[in-house]
Amino acid sequence: MEPVTDLTQYGDALHRDPHPVYARLREQGPVHRVRLATPGGPWETWLVVGYGEARAALADPRLAKDTARIGEVPLDEQLIGKYLLTADPPQHTRLRGLVARAFTMRRVEQLRPRIQQITDELLDDMLPRGRADLIGSLAYPLPVTVICELLGVPQVDRAEFRKMSAEVVAPTGEDSERAATVRFAEYLTELIEDKRRAGPTDDLLSDLIRTTAEDGDRLSPQELRGLAYLLLIAGHETTVNLIGNAVLALLAHPAQLAALRADTTLLGAAVEETLRWDGPAHNATYRYAAEPLEIAGTRIAQNEGVLVGLTAAHRDPARYAEPDRFDIRRDTGGHLAFGHGIHYCLGAPLARLEGRIAIGTLLERAPGLALDGEPGEWLPGLLMRGVRSLPVRW
């Protein structure tokens, strides 16, 4: 029996700085049996920490996502419904095809002027103060405003949406996660029904309600709720942390910040290096072995769970030279921050666009930007990676 590495012993240190822990694991091998802390108590699973193995695992059809097949339906799916990250082909293929019809690259590019406008308005409010929490003042309100406008969430509902979303992605307790998910399910049901009654509008959720494939296939009410849930949460939580982690990394590396200020064409590369060096997703979402398999010689029994470690894989020296060095001129090709394979993130172009606009505009308008104390605590859990607050001054 494979020995179990107890990661609960590291406590909050695993959130603050997981890289030394993963480096020690990688030295021993690319796949480990680990014990993790969760709101429901300790949990054992397989963790993939090597880059090559992680990339292969993300695209391996034997690592399934639909846990209903093993009788373990996750809380959000029980309460809200099936969505892309809990589906396998052919169901996943069908759902993604219907969403892709409405959520196109053209639609994302059309958002550019509005994203710039929202960024400018947030900075107009923030900059006269001389100091602020960057997460609360820019990194959070920008993507949440964009995704809520894109999906047609009324302005009056957005404060409550923030509370529900934060509790779902970084739960402070098992009961609080359930309560937030129940509220989310009820809210989305009402929102979809309101849009059905109101008739066609130009938001994405209304388009999804009307979207029909060539064969007449349409999304069911439950599928609409699941997709709205995924788009709302995934559509902003990762971007909040992308912006926060990028600014934190640049301020902690003055030479890299100076290089970017001297050559703003490096902005896209700085975003990609952030995605590699300290990306917003700590691990990929849960998978399980639909059949017995081996990963790098480690036998995974049927129905056993597997976590693909994105943060761990991105610091693998077998893939990236000097992986602990933050270098905006690095070739980051092949990073896994948005996944790989059929579950590659649909919202990657939107996240990249928001990140470039937010970071570029901030640096242009706040030339004296600097840290104004220690960042807040790192998010709990092992899904998202980011800080709750980032005090800055200029």
Side-chain angles (χ1 to χ4, degrees):
M1 185 69 181
E2 181 83 12
V4 177
T5 301
D6 187 1
L7 296 184
T8 66
Q9 66 181 304
Y10 297 104
D12 289 341
L14 191 63
H15 307 132
R16 287 195 306 273
D17 187 11
H19 306 295
V21 176
Y22 294 147
R24 288 193 291 272
L25 288 177
R26 273 195 311 271
E27 289 172 1
Q28 300 163 26
V31 185
H32 296 268
R33 188 74 180 168
V34 298
R35 181 177 298 114
L36 304 173
T38 72
W43 174 55
E44 288 188 10
T45 190
W46 294 100
L47 176 66
V48 182
V49 295
Y51 173 86
E53 294 76 13
R55 185 178 174 87
L58 289 172
D60 192 332
R62 299 172 299 173
L63 290 175
K65 304 283 283 182
D66 186 357
T67 56
R69 289 157 58 182
I70 58 171
E72 294 183 10
V73 181
L75 175 65
D76 54 3
E77 189 181 334
Q78 292 174 37
L79 298 170
I80 288 177
K82 181 69 68 180
Y83 55 94
L84 287 170
L85 289 181
T86 63
D88 296 321
Q91 186 178 29
H92 175 273
T93 309
R94 171 182 164 269
L95 290 174
R96 188 169 179 120
L98 286 166
V99 175
R101 285 174 169 272
F103 194 33
T104 61
M105 281 291 296
R106 180 170 173 269
R107 188 171 209 140
V108 169
E109 187 56 35
Q110 287 174 338
L111 292 171
R112 182 185 293 272
R114 179 59 180 146
I115 294 170
Q116 184 66 62
Q117 180 185 8
I118 296 167
T119 301
D120 286 333
E121 289 171 354
L122 290 169
L123 291 177
D124 286 346
D125 180 62
M126 183 183 99
L127 292 177
R129 303 200 301 268
R131 59 186 356 131
D133 165 27
L134 191 78
I135 304 299
S137 298
L138 178 66
Y140 178 82
L142 170 62
V144 80
T145 302
V146 170
I147 199 64
C148 284
E149 288 186 357
L150 178 62
L151 278 161
V153 175
Q155 174 105 31
V156 70
D157 296 337
R158 293 176 194 174
E160 178 65 14
F161 165 67
R162 177 177 188 175
K163 294 177 190 173
M164 293 186 293
S165 177
E167 197 59 52
V168 167
V169 301
T172 54
E174 189 172 15
D175 292 340
S176 59
E177 180 184 9
R178 172 175 285 277
T181 308
V182 167
R183 291 203 310 275
F184 226 138
E186 293 170 347
Y187 173 73
L188 290 174
T189 299
E190 293 174 7
L191 179 64
I192 290 167
E193 284 309 306
D194 287 347
K195 289 190 176 297
R196 284 191 192 279
R197 286 193 296 266
T201 56
D202 61 357
D203 62 79
L204 178 59
L205 190 51
S206 293
D207 276 3
L208 288 171
I209 290 170
R210 299 192 304 270
T211 292
T212 306
E214 284 87 350
D215 61 1
D217 186 22
R218 300 184 73 167
L219 294 164
S220 71
Q222 187 184 50
E223 289 167 342
L224 275 167
R225 189 170 61 190
L227 288 169
Y229 169 77
L230 175 64
L231 291 167
L232 279 167
I233 291 184
H236 84 279
E237 289 287 354
T238 49
T239 311
V240 174
N241 297 325
L242 167 59
I243 295 169
N245 293 0
V247 173
L248 178 57
L250 287 165
L251 295 181
H253 297 83
Q256 296 295 307
L257 177 57
L260 177 55
R261 287 193 180 282
D263 181 3
T264 56
T265 65
L266 291 171
L267 181 59
V271 168
E272 298 306 310
E273 174 65 342
T274 298
L275 289 165
R276 181 205 71 86
W277 191 75
D278 231 345
H282 194 140
N283 295 290
T285 51
Y286 180 79
R287 286 162 166 78
Y288 76 94
E291 61 185 74
L293 67 135
E294 286 192 6
I295 301 178
T298 298
R299 293 182 62 82
I300 313 291
Q302 186 171 357
N303 295 344
E304 286 190 316
V306 176
L307 272 183
V308 180
L310 306 180
T311 292
H314 287 151
R315 299 291 184 101
D316 187 345
R319 176 61 183 86
Y320 296 105
E322 298 181 76
D324 292 329
R325 181 168 55 88
F326 181 71
D327 180 4
I328 64 173
R329 292 188 174 89
R330 178 193 300 274
D331 178 4
T332 58
H335 74 65
L336 307 173
F338 293 115
H340 177 60
I342 65 168
H343 290 284
Y344 185 83
C345 178
L346 266 174
L350 178 59
R352 285 182 162 115
L353 180 60
E354 290 178 289
R356 291 195 296 268
I357 290 175
I359 297 160
T361 308
L362 173 68
L363 296 182
E364 178 186 350
R365 295 187 57 183
L369 190 69
L371 288 172
D372 191 33
E374 290 296 314
E377 68 170 342
W378 287 86
L379 294 173
L382 290 174
L383 179 59
M384 295 295 176
R385 178 146 180 80
V387 290
R388 290 198 186 277
S389 60
L390 183 59
V392 291
R393 56 182 168 80
W394 47 90

